[in-house]
Amino acid sequence: MHEIVSTGSSPRRIRISNAVAALTILHSSGCMSRADLARRLGLNRSSSGQIVGELTQGGLVREVEDRTVPPQTGRTRAGRPGILLELVPDAVFFVGIEIGVEHISAVVMDLSGRVVLTRKRAFDAPSAPVEQAVAEAVDLVFAAMDPVMVARCQGIGVSAPMHIRPDGRVRLAPLIGWRGVALVEMIRAALPAPLPIMIENDANAFAIGDSYKRGPSGVILFLVMETGIGGGILIDGKLFRGGHGLAGEIGHMVLTQAGDKTLEQLIGRETLVGRYRAAIGRTDVDLQNFLTGVRDREPEAVTIAEDWSRHLALALVQACRLIDPERIVLGGSISALYPLVSARVAAHMRAMQSVDFPAPQIAVDEDAEFGSAFGAACLLHQRFLSPESDVLGGTEPADHDKEIA
């Protein structure tokens, strides 16, 4: 949205605000004419043309022929063909990384918001020093980027299952063994060049990324289901963090009906795989084997999936009564189980409520595997399309290390 700038603002601030607004409009709407862009900006053709000229000169916007106009047959077309404006996708890039319990994943996003590179590798974060996790994460993605992409990189976002203090330090990340970690400083030391840095809880990053793809609207609960169960809440596109930045952490909900265990102890990856191994007497099976067993209606797998459905339903019913989400979005590797048992989850949720409350839509993110990494990249994309960035250049660089607390 175009930021309203007061008449007391400096000319440069107004120009940057208008340039950011132009990029944001082109990002959300795609190609459009100069006249349409000027109308959307609320500027006259001359002022809009100056902004477009600077963005074009800076390599962020380009002119393209309007291919939607059908060619005229049998006579010569008079005048210049219709010309539209669009973003130059490879003008800049943004890196997003997720450091999980058992893996590191990374994406590279271009200016249009399209993912142009993905990488993932197994990594045992709890047994490794934080510095090693950061070094491997940075190497995973930057080693795969060509020099041009690295030179055009506008920042890196890093997500992990962590609670971040207001000063930007990691207060606690129990699943991976971090406490009191100066994560931004470690990332800065590992980067090949000075870049803006943003850090975020993995579930919150996942929420931001999903809103980028679906659009921000309503009240949405997000769950990232891996070894742990992380949660985030979006209200009309804005993160609701709560009083201490811990809103949505549904994985720590204690379910007294299930032996006073937390939700992540009941439905997390290790629990599922561990129970399945014990049930069939094999130690060489993994999550994919379990999911195959559920699809094939293997009795041991179906029993475990039924317990999973009931525990998830119980937690969701309680969450729904607190925040009344219109939609619940599931991500992480465990979310692949939900489509196989969705009817059972819905049945349990209906049975657990004495009143016929409206049921939220429950969906699995289409790219659940890289959802948190994608969201981390979106943080930098958002920053670039905000007055904080210096899209027009020519001033002293802004503070490179922006942390989200």
Side-chain angles (χ1 to χ4, degrees):
M1 182 176 291
H2 189 190
E3 182 189 64
I4 299 174
V5 182
S6 70
T7 55
S9 299
S10 69
R12 170 147 191 88
R13 175 172 169 75
I14 294 173
R15 285 172 54 241
I16 290 177
S17 176
N18 289 332
V20 166
L23 292 175
T24 301
I25 291 168
L26 290 173
H27 171 249
S28 61
S29 302
C31 293
M32 65 173 50
S33 68
R34 287 175 176 266
D36 286 340
L37 180 59
R39 280 193 290 271
R40 291 283 299 276
L41 289 172
L43 299 174
N44 59 43
R45 292 286 293 271
S46 175
S47 298
S48 175
Q50 182 179 0
I51 294 298
V52 170
E54 292 182 332
L55 292 174
T56 302
Q57 185 177 1
L60 298 173
V61 171
R62 65 190 176 196
E63 292 184 334
V64 293
E65 186 175 340
D66 185 357
R67 298 179 180 86
T68 64
V69 178
Q72 296 186 8
T73 305
R75 62 187 178 89
T76 303
R77 181 174 177 172
R80 182 184 180 189
I83 298 298
L84 302 178
L85 299 171
E86 69 173 10
L87 298 179
V88 180
D90 61 355
V92 292
F93 297 96
F94 311 89
V95 171
I97 290 172
E98 178 198 3
I99 300 176
V101 177
E102 300 173 340
H103 69 274
I104 297 173
S105 59
V107 305
V108 179
M109 173 197 292
D110 66 18
L111 181 57
S112 71
R114 182 174 65 96
V115 173
V116 296
L117 179 68
T118 61
R119 288 292 183 271
K120 186 173 183 178
R121 72 168 54 146
F123 183 76
D124 186 7
S127 65
V130 183
E131 294 85 352
Q132 181 184 347
V134 170
E136 293 213 21
V138 169
D139 177 71
L140 174 67
V141 61
F142 281 93
M145 297 169 65
D146 63 47
V148 173
M149 293 176 72
V150 174
R152 295 178 181 177
C153 182
Q154 293 295 309
I156 177 172
V158 176
S159 65
M162 58 190 175
H163 176 216
I164 306 167
R165 297 190 331 200
D167 63 4
R169 292 176 66 90
V170 176
R171 175 183 174 271
L172 186 64
L175 290 176
I176 52 180
W178 297 359
R179 182 184 293 271
V181 174
L183 186 58
V184 169
E185 286 77 3
M186 292 181 183
I187 298 169
R188 184 192 301 118
L191 289 175
L195 291 171
I197 300 167
M198 301 183 82
I199 61 176
E200 182 57 277
N201 169 270
D202 58 347
N204 285 342
F206 171 64
I208 292 168
D210 186 84
S211 72
Y212 246 59
K213 291 177 284 190
R214 300 174 189 262
S217 63
V219 180
I220 311 173
L221 172 65
F222 297 85
L223 298 184
V224 176
M225 301 190 290
E226 293 284 355
T227 299
I229 309 297
I233 301 169
L234 275 186
I235 301 177
D236 292 332
K238 296 185 180 298
L239 277 172
F240 175 70
R241 298 182 180 276
H244 303 91
L246 294 169
E249 288 293 351
I250 191 174
H252 295 279
M253 180 184 294
V254 177
L255 303 182
T256 57
Q257 301 92 324
D260 290 334
K261 293 184 178 180
T262 64
L263 181 64
E264 65 184 21
Q265 288 174 326
L266 293 165
I267 70 169
R269 183 184 182 117
E270 289 183 357
T271 297
L272 279 180
V273 176
R275 285 191 61 188
Y276 184 58
R277 287 174 177 173
I280 65 174
R282 292 175 54 185
T283 60
D284 61 336
V285 294
D286 58 14
L287 178 63
Q288 292 306 313
N289 298 122
F290 168 70
L291 294 173
T292 300
V294 177
R295 292 189 190 97
D296 294 344
R297 308 301 298 170
E298 182 181 313
E300 296 86 353
V302 170
T303 297
I304 296 168
E306 170 65 12
D307 289 343
W308 186 91
S309 303
R310 188 174 67 257
H311 297 322
L312 177 63
L314 179 58
L316 293 184
V317 164
Q318 295 181 66
C320 286
R321 299 289 62 79
L322 287 174
I323 63 173
D324 188 25
E326 298 160 65
R327 188 155 51 95
I328 298 172
V329 181
L330 309 178
S333 61
I334 305 299
S335 66
L337 176 58
Y338 176 76
L340 304 177
V341 297
S342 59
R344 296 302 302 151
V345 174
H348 286 306
M349 291 182 71
R350 287 194 299 270
M352 291 172 182
Q353 302 179 92
S354 58
V355 178
D356 186 21
F357 289 109
Q361 175 192 2
I362 303 178
V364 176
D365 185 84
E366 59 267 27
D367 191 19
E369 185 178 10
F370 290 93
S372 293
F374 175 73
C378 291
L379 293 173
L380 275 300
H381 190 272
Q382 285 182 339
R383 181 184 182 275
F384 189 78
L385 298 182
S386 76
E388 292 182 44
S389 70
D390 185 25
V391 297
L392 298 179
T395 64
E396 291 300 314
D399 178 12
H400 278 162
D401 300 321
K402 299 286 185 181
E403 308 91 8
I404 290 197

